[in-house]
Amino acid sequence: MNKKLLIALLVTAAVLLAPSDSAGENSPPEPLPKAAVEAPLPAVTVTLEQLLPGTADQTALYVIEAAVAGPAVLVIGGIHGDEPAGSLAAALIATWQIDRGTLLVLPQANPRALAAGSRCAPGAGDLNRAFPGAAAGSSCRQLAGAIFGIMEQYQPDWVLDLHEAAGFEKTDPGALGQTIIYP
C-alpha cells in the first residue's frame, strides 16, 4: 500500500475511533467487553449525494450514518488534481462501516483537476484558495461554495482535508511536509 495512503487511513481511523466524551480524554480507552467485540456492527445508512449535479464539476458525497449517535467527520480528497493520494484514500474510506456518528466522504472534490492530473481544473483557479466560495461566479468558486455548504449543513466535528506535500518537502526544507494541523 502507498505510504501516503496508509498514513491518511491511519489518521482518519484514529479520529473516528476516538472516545466521544471528554471525561477520560487523556486516559486510555476502556477495553470492550467480550460480548461487544463479538457483536455485529450497528446498521448504517449510506446515501450518495451529488454536488453541482449536471455540471462538469459534479462530484459524489458519501454520507454514512450509524444507528448510534456520535461525532460527524468530513473527509475531503482531491482538492488538487496533482495530489491523487488523498482522493484514493478518501475513496477507500467511503467504504468503511462505522459504529457511531456520521462519516461524510468527498473523494473527488475537484474532479476536473483530478482528471487532468493538474493542481487546478483547466481554466479554473485553485480550489483550496476559493473557500468559502459562492453560488455564482467561476466554477471554482461554485465548487468551493458547494463543499462549504456541506460543512454548514452537517456541522462536522472534524474535517480532514487530505493533501500531499512530498514535492514541497523536497524543494523547501521549511515546508510543512506530511503534517496534521490541529486548531
Side-chain angles (χ1 to χ4, degrees), residues 2 4-5 8 76-92 107-108 110 113-119 162-165:
N2 179 314
K4 292 175 189 171
L5 178 61
I76 302 171
I79 289 273
H80 293 132
D82 60 351
E83 300 175 6
S87 181
L88 295 170
L92 288 174
Q108 295 188 358
N110 197 345
L114 285 163
S118 62
R119 185 164 188 82
L162 307 176
H163 288 264
E164 295 179 47

Side-chain angles (χ1 to χ4, degrees), residues 16-21 42-45 64-73 98-103 157:
L16 292 173
L17 298 175
S20 62
D21 63 12
V44 298
T45 303
I64 305 160
E65 296 177 280
V68 179
V73 177
I98 58 173
D99 61 330
R100 61 187 174 96
T102 302
L103 175 60
D157 298 289

Side-chain angles (χ1 to χ4, degrees), residues 17-19 21 23-32:
L17 298 175
D21 63 12
E25 193 169 307
N26 295 323
S27 60
E30 294 291 322
L32 292 174

Side-chain angles (χ1 to χ4, degrees), residues 1-18 89 92-93 96 160 162 180:
M1 180 180 286
N2 179 314
K3 181 181 173 186
K4 292 175 189 171
L5 178 61
L6 181 60
I7 289 169
L9 288 170
L10 291 173
V11 167
T12 305
V15 169
L16 292 173
L17 298 175
L92 288 174
I93 292 166
W96 286 3
L160 298 172
L162 307 176
I180 298 172

Side-chain angles (χ1 to χ4, degrees), residues 19 38 40-41 48 76 83 86 97 101 103-105 115 133 137 139 162 172 174:
E38 294 173 358
L41 291 174
L48 183 62
I76 302 171
E83 300 175 6
Q97 294 290 312
L103 175 60
L104 307 151
V105 186
S139 63
L162 307 176
D172 179 2

Side-chain angles (χ1 to χ4, degrees), residues 35-57:
V37 173
E38 294 173 358
L41 291 174
V44 298
T45 303
V46 179
T47 306
L48 183 62
E49 296 181 15
Q50 296 295 324
L51 275 63
L52 300 179
T55 71
D57 293 309

